[in-house]
Amino acid sequence: MSSPLLGQSLSQLTQWVEQQGQPAYRGQQIYQWIYQRGARSLGEITVLPQQWRSTLDSVAIGRSSVHHRSQATDQTVKYLLRLQDGQIIETVGIPTAKRLTVCVSSQVGCPMGCLFCATGQGGLQRNLECHEIVDQVLTVQEDFGQRVSNVVFMGMGEPLLNRDAVLEAIRVLNQEVGIGQRSITLSTVGIPGQIRRLGETGQVGDRPLQFTLAVSLHASNQSVRHSLIPSAQAYPLEALLEECRDYVRLTHRRVTFEYILLARVNDRPEHAQELAQCLRGFQSHVNLIPYNPISEADYQRPDRHRIEAFSQILQKHRIAVSVRYSRGLDADAACGQLRATVAGAGA
C-alpha cells in the first residue's frame, strides 16, 4: 500500500496486513488505532508484534503536525497544520454547548481569487489528498478531547476543484470516523457543470448523497458578483442558479446560499429585493454572513441596522434566512488570515 493508511477502509487495511503475512485481525487493530485512538505512526500501535512494527518505519499513517495554534476568547481554535511536504493549511475547531464543528480546507491556497478573501489573495499551491482532509478532523478531535459532530468544507480552497478527494474524504468521515452525512456541509463558489454533476452522481461511495450543499452567492446580480468573484465572468449568476435548481430536482435536497454582507457594496435594500426575486420558489436557505475585515482588502462590515434590514426584506418575501456571525474574531477568524500573518507559514 503506497498511499497513507489514513483514509483506508477496514477491508482495505485487512487486505494489506494479509499481504504482509499477518493475520486478518491485525487490520481491525490498525483500523481502531487510526480512527479511534488517533495513532500517528505504526510504532505507536503497541498491540502489533514489535518485530513486525520495526519493519514498518516507511509506512505512513498520514498525519500532519500542528505548526501554530491560536485560541480566541470564545474558545474557537484556529490551527496551522504542516503537511508532509512542508505546505501549511488552516483548520478551525468551533465548539458550542452541544456540538464541535471543524472547518476544513480542501486545497493549499485557492485559485478563485475572491477579492474579499485572504486565501484568495495568495493563489493556489496544490490540491489536498483525502488523508490530508480527514487528518484535519482527527487533529481537532484530539486537541479538544471530544468527538467532532459537524464538518464544514469552508476553509481554504474550492472543494469542487478537488472533487474526487473531497467526496472520498466525506465518505471516510462518514463511514470510518462516524460523522453523519447530514452533519457535513460542502461549500462552493460554483464551478460550471460541477453542481449538476454532483446531483447526477447522487452518491458518496455506495451511499446516497445526504450532505448539505452551500453555494457562495455573495451578490444579487451578475454585475456585483463579477466585481467580487473574478470567476463569475465565465459563470453567470443565472447559469449558477439553474444548476442549483437542477441539483434540488435531482437530489430532493435544498441548497444553502451563503451571502457575505459587505457595507455599501451588496447590502442595500434593493440588493435584498433582487436576491428575493432570484430565489423565489427555490427550495433553499440563505445564510447572511456579516463581513470579517482583512488587511488585504478595503471592504467593511455593515452595521447591525443594515444587517437586520436586509434579513427582514428576505423574510417579508418568505425566504428562509439566518444571520451567522463569525466566531474567533480575535484569532484571525477570516479564512487565510492566520496563515498569511504567522511568521514562517510560507504564505
Side-chain angles (χ1 to χ4, degrees):
M1 185 180 298
S2 58
S3 58
L5 301 185
L6 181 60
Q8 305 296 323
S9 66
L10 175 58
S11 62
Q12 289 172 314
L13 290 172
T14 300
Q15 183 181 24
W16 177 70
V17 298
E18 289 179 326
Q19 290 171 349
Q20 303 294 311
Q22 296 292 316
Y25 70 84
R26 297 290 185 206
Q28 176 75 40
Q29 291 175 325
I30 293 174
Y31 181 87
Q32 290 177 334
W33 275 71
I34 289 176
Y35 292 111
Q36 298 173 20
R37 304 185 65 166
R40 291 179 170 271
S41 72
L42 290 176
E44 296 177 27
I45 306 179
T46 54
V47 293
L48 301 179
Q50 185 173 2
Q51 183 176 358
W52 184 46
R53 274 186 286 152
S54 67
T55 69
L56 299 175
D57 290 344
S58 63
V59 179
I61 285 181
R63 300 300 306 275
S64 66
S65 60
V66 177
H67 175 77
H68 184 85
R69 182 184 187 277
S70 179
Q71 183 167 331
T73 54
D74 65 5
Q75 304 308 305
T76 295
V77 179
K78 177 166 276 193
Y79 308 82
L80 294 182
L81 303 182
R82 182 178 294 279
L83 308 177
Q84 290 300 306
D85 64 356
Q87 294 284 359
I88 299 292
I89 58 171
E90 287 190 1
T91 302
V92 186
I94 308 167
T96 65
K98 296 183 178 180
R99 63 178 60 178
L100 174 59
T101 299
V102 181
C103 179
V104 299
S105 296
S106 57
Q107 296 179 303
V108 183
C110 183
M112 305 308 292
C114 299
L115 301 184
F116 49 83
C117 175
T119 299
Q121 307 308 302
L124 174 70
Q125 280 71 56
R126 66 171 175 85
N127 285 335
L128 291 181
E129 297 180 27
C130 170
H131 71 276
E132 294 172 322
I133 298 171
V134 175
D135 166 77
Q136 297 173 60
V137 175
L138 297 184
T139 295
V140 174
Q141 189 162 269
E142 292 161 12
D143 188 49
F144 275 82
Q146 67 182 87
R147 286 190 59 80
V148 167
S149 58
N150 296 73
V151 175
V152 294
F153 283 78
M154 296 182 181
M156 298 165 57
E158 165 51 59
L160 291 186
L161 287 178
N162 189 18
R163 179 180 179 275
D164 291 347
V166 165
L167 291 181
E168 178 61 11
I170 291 175
R171 184 202 68 76
V172 174
L173 291 171
N174 175 221
Q175 298 183 24
E176 321 303 347
V177 181
I179 299 171
Q181 265 201 62
R182 292 178 183 269
S183 298
I184 299 174
T185 298
L186 186 156
S187 176
T188 176
V189 75
I191 305 299
Q194 287 297 324
I195 292 175
R196 185 177 292 111
R197 180 184 175 193
L198 199 61
E200 290 171 344
T201 302
Q203 296 281 125
V204 177
D206 59 356
R207 298 184 184 181
L209 183 156
Q210 292 187 311
F211 62 76
T212 297
L213 177 68
V215 177
S216 297
L217 212 55
H218 306 325
S220 58
N221 60 64
Q222 176 63 12
S223 176
V224 173
R225 193 163 198 268
H226 181 209
S227 72
L228 298 172
I229 305 170
S231 64
Q233 180 176 8
Y235 195 22
L237 178 61
E238 185 49 47
L240 170 62
L241 291 174
E242 188 61 32
E243 276 205 53
C244 291
R245 292 187 186 96
D246 288 345
Y247 178 88
V248 172
R249 176 179 55 83
L250 290 163
T251 65
H252 307 291
R253 294 188 59 75
R254 76 178 186 181
V255 174
T256 295
F257 289 105
E258 297 166 315
Y259 193 104
I260 290 181
L261 286 167
L262 303 161
R264 296 175 297 281
V265 175
N266 65 356
D267 67 335
R268 298 187 178 97
E270 56 264 36
H271 294 136
Q273 297 282 357
E274 279 185 331
L275 183 61
Q277 291 299 316
C278 287
L279 302 184
R280 175 172 289 179
F282 215 113
Q283 187 179 348
S284 64
H285 184 96
V286 175
N287 279 337
L288 296 178
I289 308 168
Y291 181 62
N292 214 15
I294 62 173
S295 60
E296 295 87 348
D298 293 331
Y299 300 111
Q300 298 299 318
R301 173 187 293 222
D303 61 36
R304 190 172 291 271
H305 173 74
R306 292 175 74 93
I307 296 168
E308 292 176 353
F310 198 103
S311 177
Q312 287 170 5
I313 290 172
L314 293 181
Q315 292 176 42
K316 180 181 177 181
H317 288 274
R318 299 186 177 181
I319 304 296
V321 59
S322 301
V323 179
R324 301 290 175 88
Y325 288 91
S326 297
R327 297 282 303 274
L329 291 178
D330 53 345
D332 292 305
C335 183
Q337 276 187 304
L338 187 63
R339 179 172 176 264
T341 55
V342 171

